[in-house]
Amino acid sequence: MTDELLVEVADGVGRLTLNRPRALNALTAAMIAGIHAALDAWRDDPAVERVELTGAGERGLCAGADVRALRDAVLAEEPWLGFLADEYAMNAAIVSFGKPYVAHQRGFTMGGGLGVSAHGTRRIAYPDSVFAMPETIIGFIPDVGVMWYLAHAPGQLGTHLALTGASINGTDAVLVGLADEVAGEAPASELECDRAWIDACYAGDDAAAIVARLEAHEHPRARAAAADLRQRCPLAVCVALEALRRVRSMGSVERVLAQDLVLGRHLLGRPDFAEGVRAQLVDKDRTPRWQHARIEDVGRAEVLACFEA
């Protein structure tokens, strides 16, 4: 085990505490392995009636996987796909755990933080919760099985969140299926006010057409969403849209996770991923140089190639 993950059993509760507060509890390979091992041990243990997941510190449950370490592995040409495979297997173990799994989604709950919480049986948001799947800004797509919830969200809300990586509060996390309740005073919904333009602009399967509708819309938040999309990795935006549409015909989170692994194999080895992480988390200049200048430059064949097993 690792001191980055605290594991204990008391009074019938298996407690998992993500313990990297200075790194916003970003998931390492050891933490992923520890969570999976604990769930395997507790699955048939009568001493464990339920699991409680929390994050150490005051800032959040988890900001995601340690993508800087993953980038380093990619650049060093070290084996890296195993990290994703292990993470997704751990996510699947949460889905099939079979006992109550309570996740406390305090503060920042993003990326892999949703992977360890959204698949639980009771997902508790808080007034300070901030949810997002921001992967398209680093050349990747929303993964860890979260596309399942985004694809089944009301109208086109999930499409908006998947493509732009927009942050939402606890009330809206409940609305789109990423949480079950807000503990404490629930903030006002922000997405409900935007349903009209979101549903109108994000319909269809053509990312370029979506951006065009957003840019031409009279609502300033629609045009702001278009500007956000223009900052994201063009290929990642197009692949995310295709992936989200395919999830609609899938029957389980496990199938979504299998698609995530295929897409991870194709996307994380491309220059866009290393460049996106560099711009956002390493140099922090926020000026990534993507392989494609615009969403309109991404060919359909390039998108479909990312789904080849």
Side-chain angles (χ1 to χ4, degrees):
M1 302 302 286
T2 171
D3 59 5
E4 297 172 344
L5 175 72
L6 307 182
V7 180
E8 63 176 340
V9 177
D11 301 322
V13 180
R15 300 191 183 278
L16 297 170
T17 304
L18 308 182
N19 192 38
R20 295 184 72 206
R22 291 185 178 180
L24 263 174
N25 298 321
L27 297 174
T28 64
M31 294 165 75
I32 289 168
I35 293 170
H36 201 161
L39 294 178
D40 285 347
W42 293 340
R43 190 182 307 273
D44 298 316
D45 185 347
V48 178
E49 298 172 2
R50 74 176 190 275
V51 170
E52 297 260 351
L53 173 76
T54 58
E58 302 297 323
R59 299 172 63 197
L61 172 65
C62 175
D66 191 342
V67 293
R68 278 183 286 196
L70 187 55
R71 174 183 185 266
D72 290 343
V74 170
L75 292 177
E77 298 184 352
E78 298 171 352
W80 53 265
L81 189 60
F83 180 94
L84 289 188
D86 291 345
E87 183 178 17
Y88 299 164
M90 177 267 291
N91 299 145
I94 296 172
V95 174
S96 64
F97 183 55
K99 294 180 180 180
Y101 181 105
V102 183
H104 296 273
Q105 300 167 310
R106 290 186 181 277
F108 289 102
T109 304
M110 299 179 171
L114 279 165
V116 295
S117 65
H119 303 309
T121 55
R122 184 182 178 198
R123 296 90 42 93
I124 305 174
Y126 291 81
D128 69 343
S129 295
V130 180
F131 297 83
M133 291 298 293
E135 286 76 11
T136 56
I137 199 63
I138 58 169
F140 195 34
I141 53 98
D143 64 335
V144 295
V146 171
M147 285 279 202
W148 171 264
Y149 307 99
L150 299 183
H152 295 91
Q156 297 297 328
L157 295 181
T159 310
H160 170 63
L161 299 179
L163 302 192
T164 65
S167 298
I168 58 173
N169 62 31
T171 298
D172 283 330
V174 174
L175 175 64
V176 301
L178 298 176
D180 295 305
E181 60 189 281
V182 179
E185 185 175 353
S189 173
E190 297 174 359
L191 288 179
E192 282 286 10
C193 299
D194 293 333
R195 275 291 303 274
W197 65 261
I198 287 176
D199 287 353
C201 293
Y202 284 95
D205 304 331
D206 185 335
I210 288 173
V211 175
R213 286 193 291 268
L214 289 168
E215 289 177 330
H217 202 279
E218 62 182 11
H219 202 295
R221 283 200 290 275
R223 297 195 297 274
D228 286 343
L229 281 176
R230 290 296 187 191
Q231 298 299 314
R232 310 258 153 185
C233 173
L235 178 62
V237 169
C238 294
V239 172
L241 179 62
E242 176 70 18
L244 188 69
R245 297 305 188 237
R246 292 185 180 209
V247 168
R248 291 174 173 173
S249 62
M250 295 181 180
S252 67
V253 176
E254 287 86 352
R255 289 189 62 191
V256 180
L257 288 165
Q259 175 174 268
D260 289 345
L261 189 59
V262 171
L263 295 175
R265 179 170 62 84
H266 284 285
L267 292 174
L268 267 60
R270 298 177 66 101
D272 278 339
F273 173 70
E275 173 63 7
V277 177
R278 179 205 66 77
Q280 295 299 316
L281 301 174
V282 180
D283 298 334
K284 300 181 180 179
D285 57 31
R286 306 293 194 269
T287 56
R289 295 176 290 275
W290 305 120
Q291 286 191 297
H292 301 83
R294 304 188 312 150
I295 290 172
E296 291 85 348
D297 298 332
V298 179
R300 178 69 175 162
E302 291 179 271
V303 173
L304 295 180
C306 294
F307 291 84
E308 295 176 0

